[in-house]
């Protein structure tokens, strides 16, 4: 790796003083002005209350989040609702706690309830938290085949290609193409696992990290070994404290068992939505503000420290051991995808369903009756409202699937109030690098506040925001645009 990254050096010195910032800048070899720019950019260095993981998500808006906040006690007001149930985060003089179904648990220990949907599935039906348990369920076979020389990089690439695995982070890019592109690059090469799941409505990656860390790590090690990576990093959202501790424990077990052919390291995210964009993520790891880079060059050519880098989503990598275990043809016949279902359904949770499952069927699996719903937000905050219950849930369909979030809203929900929450979210999370995004998100908030339906004004907003450098600005208007279409079709 190149010079020490500024973010971990700052983390080691919290709470910060002028002297500590200067020391971190010196050790990182960056100008003091750059260090202060980073300190003022990321919330945790500015001393702001954390917990944006739970803040004002679409489910919270639909369930009267503002009223709950007004009634709360504690040193600070609660910051939000978890998508799966009416719980909220609050601060006390003794630390951060989450109230979950009537129980207070330390935020550092808070994990999603194990709520994987019923039915035929490839994921184990229970949490897998030890190496021995993972091995007993058929895990590690691919890693052991690698160590014995029974698995070659080309064999892995070929299996992934035959399976037809597309990236599960939302872009749906063919995984085998990224693997091969990085493997062709000049060493040193790196792997970065994108575990900065900041999209309101999505919780699949967090679930995998907390309940199936060995599956994720085996997939990461397989990919890192196949591309000839010098090191593999797991860039994890900083609020996933329980997941981070579990991953570090699992890494220790793998290393002790001699099953880590490539060094693994957990890197705490900068804590902003934009950090999920792959080039902004890399900027963050290198100790700068998380601002998207101009492309090309792409990370597979010039990524971390300017070297070929595979940036891949958690769920994507978790599928590599499953493909090798099941066989590419068998995996492709099932083509499993994880869906985060929340909102007005009886059994919110994570569901493993085949790609192509109709939207209405997915909702019924979770106890939601389409005829009783006003709409579903498909894809999370950067998604669209729809009432097309026959829509096949797969990539490259007429509506974007994104990372697979399905947020259901009943007839009594004011969707404009939900939309206002999404508009505020994008305004707050815009990095400010290119003018179409900060300008467009601010204008969008005002237009949603007055429930603007003028087609010409909305078209002007869309045209402006399409000029953004990254997906945040280019998708921030999708929910607004789609709500007008849903209203028009009603």
């Amino acid at each position: 790796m190149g010079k020490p990254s500024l973010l971990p050096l700052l983390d080691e010195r919290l709470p910060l003083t002028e002297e500590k910032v200067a020391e971190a800048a010196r050790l990182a070899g960056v100008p003091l002005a750059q260090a202060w720019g980073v300190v003022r950019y990321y919330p945790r260095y500015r001393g702001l209350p954390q917990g944006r993981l739970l803040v004002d998500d679409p489910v919270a808006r639909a369930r009267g989040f503002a009223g709950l906040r007004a009634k709360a006690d504690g040193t600070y007001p609660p910051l939000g609702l978890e998508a799966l149930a009416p719980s909220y985060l609050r601060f006390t003089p003794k630390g951060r706690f989450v109230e979950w179904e009537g129980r207070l648990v330390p935020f550092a220990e808070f994990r999603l309830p194990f709520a994987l949907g019923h039915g035929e599935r490839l994921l184990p039906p229970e949490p897998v938290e030890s190496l021995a348990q993972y091995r007993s369920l058929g895990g590690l076979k691919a890693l052991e085949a690698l160590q014995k020389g029974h698995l070659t990089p080309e064999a892995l690439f070929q299996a992934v290609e035959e399976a037809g695995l597309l990236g599960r982070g939302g872009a749906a890019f063919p995984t085998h193409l990224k693997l091969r592109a990085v493997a062709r690059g000049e060493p040193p090469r790196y792997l970065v696992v994108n575990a900065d799941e900041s999209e309101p409505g999505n919780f699949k990656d967090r679930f995998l990290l907390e309940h199936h860390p060995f599956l994720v790590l085996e997939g990461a090690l397989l990919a890192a070994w196949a591309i000839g990576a010098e090191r593999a990093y797991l860039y994890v959202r900083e609020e996933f404290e329980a997941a981070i501790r579990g991953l570090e424990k699992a890494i220790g077990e793998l290393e002790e068992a001699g099953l880590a052919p490539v060094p693994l390291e957990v890197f705490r995210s900068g804590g902003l939505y934009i950090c999920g964009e792959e080039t902004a993520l890399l900027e963050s790891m290198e100790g700068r503000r998380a601002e998207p880079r101009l492309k090309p060059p792409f990370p597979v050519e010039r990524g971390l420290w300017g070297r070929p880098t595979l940036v891949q989503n958690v769920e994507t990598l978790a599928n590599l051991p499953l493909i090798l275990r099941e066989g590419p043809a068998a995996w492709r016949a099932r083509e499993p995808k994880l869906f985060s279902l929340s909102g007005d359904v009886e059994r919110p949770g994570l569901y493993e369903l085949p790609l192509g499952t109709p939207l209405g069927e997915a909702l019924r699996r979770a106890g939601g009756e389409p005829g009783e719903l006003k709409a579903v937000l498909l894809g999370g905050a950067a998604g669209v409202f729809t009432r097309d219950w026959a829509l096949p849930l797969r990539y490259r369909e007429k509506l974007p699937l994104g990372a697979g979030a399905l947020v259901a809203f009943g007839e009594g929900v004011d969707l404009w109030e939900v939309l206002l929450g999404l508009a505020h979210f994008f305004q707050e999370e815009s990095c400010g690098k290119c003018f179409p995004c900060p300008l467009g998100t601010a204008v969008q908030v005002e237009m949603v506040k007055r429930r603007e339906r003028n087609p010409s004004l909305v078209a002007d907003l869309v045209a402006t925001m399409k000029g953004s450098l990254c997906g945040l600005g280019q998708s921030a208007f999708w929910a607004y645009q789609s709500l007008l279409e849903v209203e028009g079709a009603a």
Side-chain angles (χ1 to χ4, degrees), residues 53 89 95-100 103-113 129 206 210-211 238-246 268:
L53 166 67
L89 171 66
R96 292 185 293 175
F97 288 81
V98 174
E99 183 166 325
W100 176 256
R103 294 179 293 109
L104 279 178
V105 297
F107 185 47
E109 299 175 8
F110 177 67
R111 299 200 308 171
L112 289 175
E129 299 172 350
R206 181 183 176 196
E210 292 180 350
H211 297 295
E238 63 163 337
E239 289 96 337
F240 296 176
E241 294 185 31
I244 290 171
R245 294 194 304 177
R268 287 177 178 260

Side-chain angles (χ1 to χ4, degrees), residues 251-273:
I251 290 170
E253 289 189 53
L254 286 167
E255 291 176 341
E256 187 176 346
L259 289 168
V262 178
L264 290 162
E265 181 179 328
V266 175
F267 191 104
R268 287 177 178 260
S269 156
L272 295 168
Y273 178 67

Side-chain angles (χ1 to χ4, degrees), residues 319-453:
N319 272 292
L320 299 190
L322 300 177
I323 289 171
L324 294 173
R325 187 188 74 192
E326 299 290 314
W331 185 93
R332 185 165 194 154
R334 300 168 73 172
E335 208 169 6
K337 173 75 184 82
L338 296 177
F339 292 91
S340 307
L341 271 76
S342 62
D344 293 323
V345 294
E346 291 181 8
R347 297 181 297 277
L350 192 69
Y351 287 77
E352 186 179 82
L353 304 171
L355 281 175
T357 299
L359 174 58
E361 180 183 335
L363 293 168
R364 291 188 183 95
R365 292 279 191 99
E369 181 51 53
E372 299 174 1
L373 298 176
K374 181 175 285 187
V376 165
L377 181 62
L378 174 64
V384 296
F385 289 103
T386 183
R387 289 181 52 83
D388 184 356
W389 312 125
L391 176 74
L393 296 174
R394 61 179 171 226
Y395 295 108
R396 297 166 185 165
E397 193 59 45
K398 59 182 178 180
L399 294 179
L401 182 60
L406 305 176
V407 188
F409 299 105
E411 288 292 348
V413 173
D414 183 350
L415 294 180
W416 281 91
E417 180 65 17
V418 174
L419 181 62
L420 182 59
L422 300 179
H424 277 299
F425 173 81
F426 282 116
Q427 182 185 29
E428 178 182 343
E429 296 294 342
S430 173
C431 76
K433 181 175 182 176
C434 62
F435 81 89
C437 182
L439 170 65
T441 53
V443 171
Q444 179 172 246
V445 167
E446 297 307 312
M447 290 175 65
V448 173
K449 280 182 179 178
R450 66 176 185 264
R451 307 200 172 197
E452 180 62 68
R453 294 175 171 85

Side-chain angles (χ1 to χ4, degrees), residues 273-287:
Y273 178 67
I274 192 63
C275 292
E277 197 279 333
E278 62 178 6
T279 62
L281 178 157
L282 296 173
E283 288 289 297
S284 174
M285 289 188 68
E286 293 180 9

Side-chain angles (χ1 to χ4, degrees), residues 133-167:
Q133 183 187 8
Y134 183 60
R135 188 191 297 273
S136 71
L137 293 169
L140 304 177
K141 290 183 178 179
L143 271 183
E144 290 169 345
L146 176 159
Q147 290 187 319
K148 295 175 182 177
H150 298 160
L151 179 66
T152 65
E154 180 54 34
L156 186 144
F157 299 154
Q158 187 64 33
V160 173
E161 182 177 4
E162 290 177 9
L165 177 63
L166 302 177

Side-chain angles (χ1 to χ4, degrees), residues 444 447 455-468 473-474 477-478 480-481:
Q444 179 172 246
M447 290 175 65
S456 177
L457 293 178
V458 175
D460 287 345
L461 173 69
V462 170
T464 297
M465 298 190 70
K466 280 184 176 179
S468 299
Q474 294 167 9
F477 57 84
W478 286 356
Y480 186 8
Q481 197 175 37

